[in-house]
Amino acid sequence: MKFCTSFLIIGFSSAVYSSDQSWKDDDGLEVTIIKKIDDSECDIKSAGGDVVEQYYKLSDEKGEEIGSNFGKKPYTFTLGKNQVIPGMDRAMRGMCIGEIRKVVIPPKLGFAKDSTGQSLYYTVQLVNLFRANPGERWVTEEGIQIEQTHKIEPEKCKKAEQGDKIYQQYVLRLEDNTLVDSSYSRNAPFVFRLRNREVIDGMDIAMDGMCEGERRRVVIPSEYGYGAQGSPPEIPGGARLFFEIVLEKLVKRDEL
């Protein structure tokens, strides 16, 4: 009854039947654990707000494979952010890393808006997950707004300084939420030397003192971005820049 209880606590539908290995909710979502991770080896279980990496296989009712990413790059999404169909969001909660589940998602929790259509038959594995450890917010003397969406504790911090080689993942949007660019779309981090005039001044300032593994949300005024001229056609003149950045890897200058 352990899994059923956890689902009820976070407000999901009550179960029609349940056990430690399988359950069916009253709205038709069915979950069966086919590879269970022992509690002694499960340090963390997935929950709303976690960024999860997932392997999946979609099959038809007869078990014939329709599509799969097993053995390829995992699919990454955030639980509770409407980034996947409702049935998948629910089915991936409470999982340990390495756990595999078979999931039957009824039409109304899949791509259909009502009970018409076909159920979806998935096999899913939680490959990895990331849970944020929020930190502080501040504004620099230049007016750059910085929020630590995931902080690294001081005793574990490898800190970025002038001349270090930075491997950065980023998403850039404008104030109206228009997506301008993202390193994730290229499947590779953006690499540069810190405070070596290789990026806009605001980014050098925003990443100075950042820890390897840290994540920040940054707002850069136009005078420390692309200025009055902008960077047409994507970035208009005078635009503030809204970044989400990750210091994925750091090579100290004396290691280069």
Side-chain angles (χ1 to χ4, degrees), residues 55-70:
Y55 284 144
Y56 68 86
K57 182 177 74 171
L58 174 62
S59 305
D60 62 20
E61 191 172 3
K62 297 179 180 179
E64 296 294 324
E65 182 178 313
I66 298 172
S68 173
N69 73 339
F70 274 88

Side-chain angles (χ1 to χ4, degrees), residues 133-148:
N133 177 31
E136 300 178 355
R137 300 181 183 185
W138 68 92
V139 180
T140 71
E141 60 183 20
E142 297 87 0
I144 296 169
Q145 301 173 37
I146 299 175
E147 176 188 356
Q148 291 176 310

Side-chain angles (χ1 to χ4, degrees), residues 199-213:
V199 293
I200 57 175
D201 291 342
M203 186 57 71
D204 268 333
I205 296 168
M207 296 202 70
D208 198 4
M210 194 171 175
C211 302
E212 185 177 62

Side-chain angles (χ1 to χ4, degrees), residues 17-200:
Y17 67 80
S18 67
S19 71
D20 281 348
Q21 295 292 123
S22 64
W23 60 93
K24 181 178 181 180
D25 291 341
D26 58 7
D27 57 7
L29 179 67
E30 298 181 58
V31 179
T32 301
I33 301 173
I34 59 174
K35 180 183 178 183
K36 183 176 175 63
I37 305 301
D38 190 86
D39 286 343
S40 63
E41 299 177 355
C42 183
D43 296 326
I44 187 172
K45 292 186 177 183
S46 56
D50 291 345
V51 179
V52 298
E53 294 183 356
Q54 175 206 65
Y55 284 144
Y56 68 86
K57 182 177 74 171
L58 174 62
S59 305
D60 62 20
E61 191 172 3
K62 297 179 180 179
E64 296 294 324
E65 182 178 313
I66 298 172
S68 173
N69 73 339
F70 274 88
K72 303 175 184 177
K73 183 179 179 180
Y75 180 57
T76 302
F77 60 93
T78 303
L79 290 173
K81 296 293 185 178
N82 297 318
Q83 295 178 359
V84 292
I85 55 176
M88 183 60 73
D89 193 290
R90 278 172 46 188
M92 291 295 296
R93 300 197 186 207
M95 291 184 76
C96 301
I97 294 173
E99 184 176 322
I100 302 177
R101 294 178 173 182
K102 282 191 175 294
V103 180
V104 181
I105 300 176
K108 61 184 176 181
L109 296 178
F111 298 105
K113 295 183 178 180
D114 52 35
S115 59
T116 62
Q118 300 293 320
S119 294
L120 302 172
Y121 299 82
Y122 280 98
T123 301
V124 296
Q125 181 173 26
L126 179 60
V127 181
N128 206 348
L129 72 83
F130 168 80
R131 181 168 296 169
N133 177 31
E136 300 178 355
R137 300 181 183 185
W138 68 92
V139 180
T140 71
E141 60 183 20
E142 297 87 0
I144 296 169
Q145 301 173 37
I146 299 175
E147 176 188 356
Q148 291 176 310
T149 55
H150 179 67
K151 70 177 182 179
I152 304 298
E153 299 304 330
E155 65 273 12
K156 298 180 180 179
C157 179
K158 184 179 181 181
K159 187 174 293 187
E161 300 173 301
Q162 184 175 4
D164 293 346
K165 192 172 186 179
I166 301 293
Y167 291 74
Q168 177 206 66
Q169 297 283 8
Y170 70 88
V171 177
L172 169 59
R173 298 181 184 273
L174 299 180
E175 195 156 6
D176 64 359
N177 207 37
T178 298
L179 177 64
V180 176
D181 191 21
S182 171
S183 61
Y184 294 104
S185 66
R186 294 182 287 277
N187 295 318
F190 178 57
V191 182
F192 64 96
R193 296 281 292 274
L194 186 63
R195 289 193 175 272
N196 199 43
R197 304 191 66 84
E198 297 178 14
V199 293
I200 57 175

Side-chain angles (χ1 to χ4, degrees), residues 208-221:
D208 198 4
M210 194 171 175
C211 302
E212 185 177 62
E214 185 178 334
R215 300 177 180 225
R216 292 182 175 182
R217 186 174 293 122
V218 177
V219 182
I220 298 177

